[in-house]
Amino acid sequence: VLSFRAVESQSEGQCTPVDSLWRRYSEFELLRNYLSVTYPHIVVPPLPEKRADFVWHKLSADNMDPDFVERRRIGLENFLLRVASHPVLCEDKIFYSFLTQEGRWKEMVNETGFQLKADSRLKALNATFRVKNPDKRFTELKHYSDELQSVISHLLRVRARVADRLYGVYKVHGNYGRVFSEWSAIEKEMGDGLQSAGHHMDVYAASIDDILEEEEHYADQLKEYLFYAEALRAVCRKHELMQYDLEMAAQDLTSKKQQCEELATGTVRTFSLKGMTSKLFGQETTEQREAKIKVLEEQIQEGEEQLKSKNLEGRDFVKSAWADIERFKEQKNHDLKEALISYAVMQISMCKKGIQVWTNAKECFSKM
Amino acid sequence: DTSLAEVNSFSPSMPISPSSMINQYKFEDEPELRDLFITVDDPESHITAIETFITYRVVTKTSRGEFDSSEYEVRRRYQDFLWLKSKLEEAHPTLIIPPLPEKFIMKGMVERFSDEFIETRRKALHKFLNRIADHPTLTFNEDFKIFLTAQAWELSSHKKQGPSLLSRMGQTVRAVASSVRGGVKNRPEMFTEMNDYMETFSQKINILDKIAHRIYREEREYLNEMKEYGPIHTLWSASEEDIADSLKGVASCIDKCCKATEKRMSGLSENLLPILHEYVLYSEILMGVLKRRDQIQGELDSKVDALANKKTEKDLFSEEIGKLEDKVECANNALKADWDRWKQNMQCDMRSAFTNVAENNLHYYEECLATWESFLASQRVDLHVEEDSEDRP
């Protein structure tokens, strides 16, 4: 059981000196890389964005902006909570020491040698492997993760534009306040009504700041799942890679068996450079041939064992990955539904504020 | 009134009852005593070899004795309205003649004969005639009557009578030249106050006009983005199962809010924008009226100054001066009365226009609130969802 206090003190540590924040973020990255490599069948929770993305004009693109820093802090905290509540990941010792051990943590992680296990091919996101028999569920899931990524990023982009425009509408109303006030100075009967209406227009204009700040948190919830889509895809890619390696190994085994057969029976069925050169430069001796056969037979045996274990690995991977994917799906559906509900709640709050302000304004105007 | 009931069969596009016509105008003057009803509608374009122009149908219904008939239907073009305005200004230099819509619209990208332009102009022309009809003095002006009742050829021939446009312009130029700073020295306190007021009012109303237009543009931009925003949720729902309904629900809410935004925008363009624009024009008119009063005063002042220097012909001068003094007194009284009336109307118009804006915004937020609340209810959550969403897993 993890101590919650430990989590918080870690998060607080990030709020102090700016450069220590950057180091911390990189340590989070290190932790996540470690987890991704060590648990390739798990949909590893994503980190919040490193740089401010999907900004609209008010939010600065500056990574040192206090609002951005605060939201990123919340995102990092959320990341830790996600890992801590994951049935498999929470048991990890490196994760535990991330939370409890101040110094030497970096060395500890590097000592695990996880970087060696990392498959560089997974990083090459655009590389395609011609996999003949992938598990159909993973193919569909990969397709889904692509769609999810595309639709959420589109949604976030347009939301930012909507926010920008909404900001404009509210803020321009603020101009009424000043003009009404100046106008009221020359009016006798209308003066009071104008002045007080102007005040309400100022209130209206100011109210958008809090409204949009709250909406940023909603955007962050969606962003988490935008980044989760990447994690999903990583699992699918891992499966693809394993399947690819399996198929390559099987192919290699088959060709070795064929070679062996050809050497044993003396028939050449497949074209090979060796075969050609031996034809050109004379036949092999029987001893040479038998030596070759022996080597091949050893290789074949190795290959068959490897293939067996690869097959087993593959099946285990599919089973455990799919279990985590099911867990993830449930989590995703729950979280996104809640996020949409919270969005509705925000809209309702905004409408209620609007009704209040304009009711007041209407009263002032009717007294003009 | 039975006379009005008969008319309904005559022109089906007319409003049905006097009370509905009254609601159109919202004027301060007692509507029950009104005996002159005017509408401007049915723009038609005419294409000749030389030009293309629009005419508007002007329908008048009246119970006044001076009118030979109780109803008239004529067609008038913008030029005719310009003529009427200048005749009224000539006859009543210190009365506040209502503004006409401008010849062209400089700002915005409205084309000369676009539907939007024509409709805006039609509404303004309608307002123009009705404001004249409501004015205690202008409503009995003879040129006004001719404008409302004469057939096209009659109006043309009437226009040709009286001093030509050029000679009238010459008079005005000379008047301006002769008393550039005339009438300011002995200007009664009241009119200096009016001048000061109008300078500030003019400034403020121009700014308000700009603000209102800016709000309209911002709302339109917001609407455009929202129109793209909603459908993305629908698109997303196609890849989901469990949350597909929630996503579609959000899309539908956004769509309804778009429609509510459109309503709010049209409320703005139908009410506040035209009124603010009218008062921008009014402020120019009022500055002009104040200047003309000053000019009339200036004529008197220069004659009085001239008398002080003359030794002979004192009697002749004093008769002239007497006439000018009367003229100044009339002008001042007319302006004072019209000013009070204008201020009352302005207050009433502003109150109703801004109250209308507040109402439109209230309706907008109420509609959006209902939409989102019904979505929330459909997701079957209670108030505790706010607490739950804060305890993130």
Side-chain angles (χ1 to χ4, degrees):
Chain A
V1 175
L2 292 163
S3 140
F4 208 79
R5 208 183 303 141
V7 173
E8 276 180 29
S9 70
Q10 192 76 352
S11 312
E12 270 152 31
Q14 284 126 46
C15 288
T16 44
V18 158
D19 40 81
S20 77
L21 172 65
W22 279 108
R23 216 181 59 223
R24 297 285 190 187
Y25 189 89
S26 67
E27 286 179 313
F28 277 87
E29 281 183 312
L30 186 59
L31 173 64
R32 188 174 188 277
N33 286 340
Y34 163 79
L35 291 172
S36 302
V37 171
T38 314
Y39 305 91
H41 57 291
I42 300 286
V43 183
V44 178
L47 287 172
E49 52 196 350
K50 195 167 191 174
R51 269 164 272 282
D53 206 352
F54 302 109
V55 291
W56 51 283
H57 88 276
K58 189 205 161 198
L59 288 179
S60 66
D62 175 18
N63 299 326
M64 291 305 124
D65 178 68
D67 284 334
F68 173 72
V69 168
E70 173 60 14
R71 285 184 12 253
R72 201 168 71 176
R73 182 194 70 75
I74 293 170
L76 290 172
E77 197 171 84
N78 185 53
F79 165 75
L80 292 177
L81 288 166
R82 290 267 193 218
V83 176
S85 59
H86 191 282
V88 174
L89 298 177
C90 68
E91 308 273 341
D92 186 275
K93 296 209 167 45
I94 295 288
F95 171 61
Y96 184 78
S97 55
F98 182 89
L99 297 176
T100 56
Q101 191 178 320
E102 283 275 0
R104 273 214 79 233
W105 178 80
K106 239 183 173 170
E107 290 93 328
M108 199 175 156
V109 183
N110 291 327
E111 274 163 20
T112 64
F114 79 92
Q115 277 105 341
L116 299 167
K117 278 198 256 164
D119 194 328
S120 62
R121 290 178 296 174
L122 278 171
K123 294 220 174 113
L125 291 167
N126 292 325
T128 49
F129 308 100
R130 237 177 296 124
V131 181
K132 291 190 192 125
N133 287 313
D135 186 316
K136 276 216 164 59
R137 293 177 298 173
F138 283 93
T139 315
E140 277 169 21
L141 186 67
K142 185 151 162 256
H143 183 60
Y144 168 78
S145 75
D146 286 341
E147 282 182 353
L148 188 71
Q149 197 170 43
S150 152
V151 85
I152 293 183
S153 68
H154 188 197
L155 197 142
L156 285 169
R157 253 176 301 139
V158 179
R159 190 213 71 88
R161 294 205 304 255
V162 169
D164 189 28
R165 289 306 178 182
L166 192 63
Y167 183 80
V169 172
Y170 272 74
K171 288 299 179 189
V172 181
H173 277 85
N175 291 327
Y176 273 144
R178 193 174 47 92
V179 183
F180 281 169
S181 174
E182 288 167 6
W183 182 11
S184 72
I186 57 170
E187 298 291 343
K188 290 189 193 91
E189 287 140 40
M190 281 170 69
D192 288 339
L194 273 173
Q195 184 87 358
S196 46
H199 161 74
H200 293 297
M201 291 298 97
D202 287 337
V203 168
Y204 182 68
S207 70
I208 193 67
D209 294 310
D210 284 344
I211 289 167
L212 288 176
E213 178 58 39
E214 237 198 296
E215 237 190 64
E216 279 310 311
H217 292 292
Y218 166 73
D220 285 341
Q221 287 172 268
L222 293 183
K223 264 183 228 178
E224 196 195 7
Y225 279 91
L226 174 67
F227 302 141
Y228 252 127
E230 281 270 2
L232 261 184
R233 194 204 267 121
V235 175
C236 297
R237 298 278 293 171
K238 180 69 184 174
H239 162 76
E240 260 180 27
L241 255 177
M242 286 179 83
Q243 188 68 16
Y244 178 75
D245 283 346
L246 183 72
E247 286 173 9
M248 287 294 112
Q251 207 174 29
D252 188 54
L253 188 64
T254 311
S255 92
K256 283 204 164 77
K257 281 182 176 169
Q258 226 166 34
Q259 273 180 48
C260 202
E261 202 203 311
E262 283 167 19
L263 281 172
T265 60
T267 55
V268 181
R269 250 182 261 135
T270 56
F271 174 80
S272 78
L273 196 58
K274 271 208 184 113
M276 284 310 293
T277 50
S278 67
K279 275 207 160 163
L280 289 168
F281 295 107
Q283 296 282 11
E284 296 169 312
T285 63
T286 321
E287 290 97 5
Q288 283 173 324
R289 206 169 352 117
E290 276 176 5
K292 275 202 189 132
I293 290 172
K294 193 147 189 231
V295 165
L296 275 172
E297 278 177 346
E298 274 172 31
Q299 285 178 346
I300 286 167
Q301 191 167 33
E302 256 182 67
E304 275 183 336
E305 274 166 29
Q306 265 189 25
L307 193 66
K308 220 189 219 165
S309 71
K310 273 201 160 80
N311 245 310
L312 219 70
E313 247 186 86
R315 277 205 298 271
D316 280 342
F317 178 88
V318 167
K319 187 165 160 214
S320 49
W322 207 257
D324 196 53
I325 284 162
E326 290 296 335
R327 180 208 61 81
F328 168 78
K329 275 186 187 168
E330 264 195 57
Q331 173 199 297
K332 173 210 75 167
N333 287 333
H334 172 266
D335 289 349
L336 287 176
K337 185 163 176 174
E338 256 197 39
L340 292 172
I341 286 168
S342 78
Y343 185 73
V345 169
M346 273 183 253
Q347 299 307 303
I348 286 169
S349 154
M350 179 171 81
C351 290
K352 284 185 174 163
K353 281 186 197 162
I355 288 171
Q356 191 176 52
V357 161
W358 286 103
T359 304
N360 292 339
K362 181 179 166 181
E363 214 190 298
C364 296
F365 286 134
S366 63
K367 288 199 184 120
M368 263 165 45
Chain B
D1 285 343
T2 48
S3 59
L4 289 165
E6 283 162 16
V7 160
N8 288 329
S9 52
F10 187 82
S11 40
S13 70
M14 287 291 293
I16 305 302
S17 69
S19 58
S20 77
M21 291 164 86
I22 286 161
N23 287 339
Q24 274 181 45
Y25 309 153
K26 286 196 175 128
F27 287 128
E28 180 87 345
D29 304 338
E30 293 108 15
E32 309 88 55
L33 302 181
R34 186 181 293 143
D35 53 5
L36 186 66
F37 295 88
I38 306 171
T39 51
V40 176
D41 60 15
D42 190 36
E44 244 177 42
S45 75
H46 299 254
I47 306 168
T48 68
I50 315 160
E51 55 176 349
T52 309
F53 60 90
I54 307 265
T55 62
Y56 302 85
R57 187 175 72 155
V58 179
V59 179
T60 307
K61 295 188 174 100
T62 179
S63 54
R64 284 190 199 165
E66 314 88 86
F67 287 76
D68 294 333
S69 167
S70 64
E71 66 203 54
Y72 294 89
E73 188 177 311
V74 296
R75 293 209 76 93
R76 296 284 178 253
R77 57 185 291 190
Y78 183 74
Q79 258 180 32
D80 301 330
F81 286 84
L82 276 175
W83 168 85
L84 175 62
K85 184 166 162 78
S86 69
K87 294 298 285 183
L88 292 173
E89 279 170 353
E90 214 186 289
H92 310 281
T94 59
L95 285 187
I96 301 165
I97 313 297
L100 267 181
E102 291 122 319
K103 276 195 147 192
F104 308 111
I105 296 175
M106 287 306 168
K107 59 200 164 185
M109 296 139 296
V110 184
E111 278 182 37
R112 193 165 156 240
F113 286 140
S114 78
D115 286 344
E116 204 186 313
F117 175 79
I118 292 169
E119 177 59 13
T120 309
R121 182 174 265 199
R122 183 199 67 76
K123 281 195 206 145
L125 293 173
H126 175 96
K127 208 124 193 244
F128 171 72
L129 291 179
N130 276 285
R131 286 211 190 265
I132 297 172
D134 282 343
H135 192 287
T137 310
L138 297 175
T139 192
F140 298 110
N141 179 280
E142 189 60 30
D143 289 313
F144 181 50
K145 177 159 168 275
I146 290 171
F147 178 93
L148 292 175
T149 60
Q151 288 309 308
W153 61 268
E154 287 175 323
L155 182 64
S156 296
S157 81
H158 176 77
K159 277 189 191 182
K160 289 192 179 108
Q161 295 165 17
S164 74
L165 184 67
L166 281 172
S167 70
R168 262 188 286 126
M169 273 176 68
Q171 272 175 13
T172 319
V173 168
R174 261 176 278 138
V176 169
S178 73
S179 51
V180 163
R181 291 213 66 228
V184 182
K185 200 176 41 167
N186 296 322
R187 187 203 277 158
E189 179 68 24
M190 158 173 43
F191 298 109
T192 304
E193 277 170 18
M194 275 186 208
N195 239 297
D196 292 340
Y197 174 90
M198 275 323 296
E199 267 178 34
T200 308
F201 178 86
S202 170
Q203 208 187 59
K204 301 311 160 197
I205 202 74
N206 269 285
I207 296 172
L208 277 174
D209 182 58
K210 287 199 180 77
I211 293 172
H213 275 98
R214 175 91 188 270
I215 290 176
Y216 183 83
R217 280 199 307 271
E218 293 286 342
E219 282 185 13
R220 187 178 49 208
E221 296 295 334
Y222 171 70
L223 176 69
N224 289 339
E225 298 297 350
M226 285 286 274
K227 279 190 176 158
E228 203 188 318
Y229 189 45
I232 299 174
H233 295 80
T234 309
L235 182 68
W236 185 359
S237 73
S239 349
E240 297 289 343
E241 281 167 23
D242 273 36
I243 59 172
D245 283 339
S246 305
L247 285 166
K248 281 189 235 174
V250 169
S252 149
C253 285
I254 294 173
D255 183 55
K256 291 200 184 103
C257 290
C258 280
K259 296 206 164 57
T261 304
E262 277 170 339
K263 255 200 247 172
R264 179 169 69 165
M265 276 170 63
S266 76
L268 207 62
S269 76
E270 272 165 32
N271 229 290
L272 184 69
L273 295 186
I275 294 218
L276 287 177
H277 188 65
E278 210 188 341
Y279 278 90
V280 165
L281 295 173
Y282 253 131
S283 64
E284 284 166 32
I285 288 166
L286 273 150
M287 296 298 265
V289 168
L290 286 166
K291 271 211 181 71
R292 283 201 292 278
R293 191 222 69 87
D294 285 348
Q295 279 159 22
I296 293 170
Q297 170 109 39
E299 277 175 42
L300 171 65
D301 291 348
S302 58
K303 272 285 170 347
V304 167
D305 288 344
L307 175 65
N309 295 332
K310 284 247 193 236
K311 301 289 166 37
T312 58
E313 300 162 357
K314 274 208 167 136
D315 291 335
L316 259 165
F317 260 89
S318 42
E319 202 191 315
E320 241 186 282
I321 284 173
K323 281 203 187 121
L324 286 171
E325 278 173 347
D326 283 341
K327 193 174 174 192
V328 168
E329 202 181 320
C330 269
N332 287 352
N333 290 339
L335 178 53
K336 174 77 177 65
D338 222 19
W339 170 265
D340 288 338
R341 190 177 163 273
W342 178 85
K343 278 218 77 179
Q344 278 223 26
N345 278 344
M346 186 273 289
Q347 198 170 317
C348 178
D349 286 346
M350 290 300 165
R351 178 173 55 232
S352 89
F354 281 106
T355 306
N356 177 266
V357 166
E359 275 169 1
N360 283 341
N361 276 286
L362 272 173
H363 289 149
Y364 166 75
Y365 281 112
E366 278 161 3
E367 262 186 68
C368 292
L369 179 68
T371 299
W372 286 106
E373 278 185 334
S374 112
F375 166 77
L376 203 63
S378 77
Q379 301 299 295
R380 269 182 256 120
V381 284
D382 53 22
L383 295 161
H384 295 306
V385 74
E386 283 185 48
E387 299 157 43
D388 290 344
S389 62
E390 256 129 60
D391 308 318
R392 295 302 309 282

